[in-house]
Amino acid sequence: MRLSRSTFALAVLMAGTSVTASTAFAAPAAAPAAAPAATAPAAAPAANPDMLIATVNGSKITLGDVQRAAGNLPPQARQIQPSVLIPLIVNQLVDQKAVQIAADKEGLSRKPDVKAAMDAASANALQNAYLEEKVGPLVTDSTLHDFYQTHYANKKPEEEIHARHILVDSEAQAKDIIAQLNKGADFGKLAAQLSKDKGSAGANGGDLGWFKKADMLPAFSAAAFAMKPNTISQTPVHTQYGWHVIQVLATRTAPIPTFDQVHDQVRQELIRDKVRDIVQNAESQVKVVHYDSQGKVIPDAAPAAAPAKK
């Protein structure tokens, strides 16, 4: 039976709590205006995650189940009114239980491929929980600022150039374009007409914007960074994509980004580094044996205690 909004709203009111462990959903509203103003609302009892919300053939759905499901929702969904969203979550959990019961009756959990998928999901959940528990305490405001100072603030400023290009299939065509440009042809018009680069650069007259040397293919960067502003490459530059004619418009020293500008990037990089360290530490405590297609042991090239960094 579908849970009505009023029934579940009463259950949440009795629990005296929001449905998520976070602040995604507000607690039930205070007493209505008709209540005496002088009477302060009683303190709501602490939420009990084991509070029973529904059963499906005796299988329980608790407030904790609802909280976990709500916590996995995208931010947009969390903006929906709890009186609307919560019953949808409960009904979804009921649907899931019903399908699981039906699948169990048909013995699907015993099928090798299904069992393998279930085991993989369980192992993945355990791995993620372990990494979250180990990494979380290491990602703090202090460690974020330290990472920023080391990898951003204290790095030597890099040179950037602003350039555009025309990409064609042959060296002969690239040389012809250079000859036209030397006679005064418009670079942007030729790029729009002839360049194979039909992405954002192609749509903007071949403009690549500002970039650092490491942002481009080595051959392209070597040629572009050797040029002076307002010059055109007199020799076509060959890469895996074809033949390039390059025009350098300007050069500059890239400004060092502020902490706020790169906060999210710093956080992701720090998490990545910490995860790698934790994984390597876990690997150092186990014995790993590899086998070839004949079932023979492959000798280890490096000791398990010191895995090579990638």
Side-chain angles (χ1 to χ4, degrees):
M1 183 180 75
R2 291 288 173 182
L3 188 66
S4 70
R5 293 181 186 177
S6 58
T7 302
F8 191 74
L10 178 60
V12 173
L13 183 60
M14 290 173 63
T17 182
S18 61
V19 298
T20 65
S22 66
T23 57
F25 300 114
T39 304
N48 177 10
D50 295 327
M51 185 184 76
L52 191 61
I53 300 300
T55 62
V56 183
N57 270 14
S59 182
K60 296 179 180 180
I61 296 174
T62 66
L63 182 61
D65 296 327
V66 177
Q67 290 174 326
R68 282 186 290 275
N72 290 327
L73 291 173
Q76 302 91 322
R78 299 185 191 187
Q79 304 307 312
I80 300 174
Q81 286 293 326
S83 61
V84 175
L85 181 59
I86 297 171
L88 295 177
I89 294 175
V90 176
N91 288 334
Q92 183 182 49
L93 293 175
V94 168
D95 290 344
Q96 291 172 353
K97 289 282 188 184
V99 171
Q100 291 166 11
I101 290 169
D104 258 345
K105 284 182 179 179
E106 296 187 13
L108 288 180
S109 61
R110 295 189 294 275
K111 290 184 65 174
D113 55 339
V114 176
K115 188 177 185 306
M118 292 170 65
D119 290 344
S122 176
N124 189 58
L126 183 60
Q127 170 187 291
N128 289 340
Y130 179 80
L131 291 175
E132 287 177 12
E133 182 174 294
K134 296 297 182 181
V135 172
L138 303 177
V139 182
T140 64
D141 286 342
S142 176
T143 57
L144 288 174
H145 277 91
D146 289 346
F147 191 94
Y148 167 76
Q149 289 296 326
T150 301
H151 296 86
Y152 289 86
N154 292 330
K155 286 186 69 175
K156 183 180 178 181
E158 291 185 71
E159 183 184 6
E160 287 186 329
I161 64 173
H162 181 196
R164 51 185 180 175
H165 78 142
I166 299 172
L167 176 64
V168 293
D169 285 322
S170 69
E171 183 179 15
Q173 186 180 10
K175 287 182 176 179
D176 180 64
I177 290 171
I178 292 171
Q180 293 182 57
L181 292 170
N182 288 339
K183 293 178 181 178
D186 185 274
F187 194 102
K189 289 182 179 179
L190 287 181
Q193 294 168 6
L194 304 174
S195 183
K196 293 198 307 174
D197 183 354
K198 300 303 180 184
S200 57
N204 293 294
D207 197 333
L208 297 166
W210 290 96
F211 58 87
K212 298 179 178 66
K213 185 173 288 187
D215 294 337
M216 299 295 179
L217 293 171
F220 188 98
S221 285
F225 278 83
M227 295 169 59
K228 294 181 179 179
N230 300 311
T231 60
I232 295 167
S233 57
Q234 296 301 300
T235 302
V237 178
H238 187 241
T239 70
Q240 64 196 61
Y241 297 105
W243 296 87
H244 305 260
V245 177
I246 304 171
Q247 181 184 39
V248 173
L249 302 173
T251 63
R252 71 179 183 187
T253 299
I256 295 174
T258 67
F259 177 74
D260 288 341
Q261 287 174 328
V262 292
H263 175 274
D264 291 346
Q265 182 176 335
V266 166
R267 187 174 187 277
Q268 290 302 316
E269 290 178 3
L270 179 60
I271 290 173
R272 179 200 63 202
D273 286 358
K274 297 302 182 185
V275 166
R276 183 185 61 218
D277 292 343
I278 289 167
V279 170
Q280 289 180 348
N281 181 62
E283 288 181 352
S284 71
Q285 300 178 52
V286 297
K287 181 179 180 180
V288 180
V289 180
H290 294 280
Y291 299 85
D292 63 18
S293 58
Q294 305 301 316
K296 295 181 179 179
V297 173
I298 301 174
D300 244 341
K309 287 191 176 182
K310 294 184 179 179

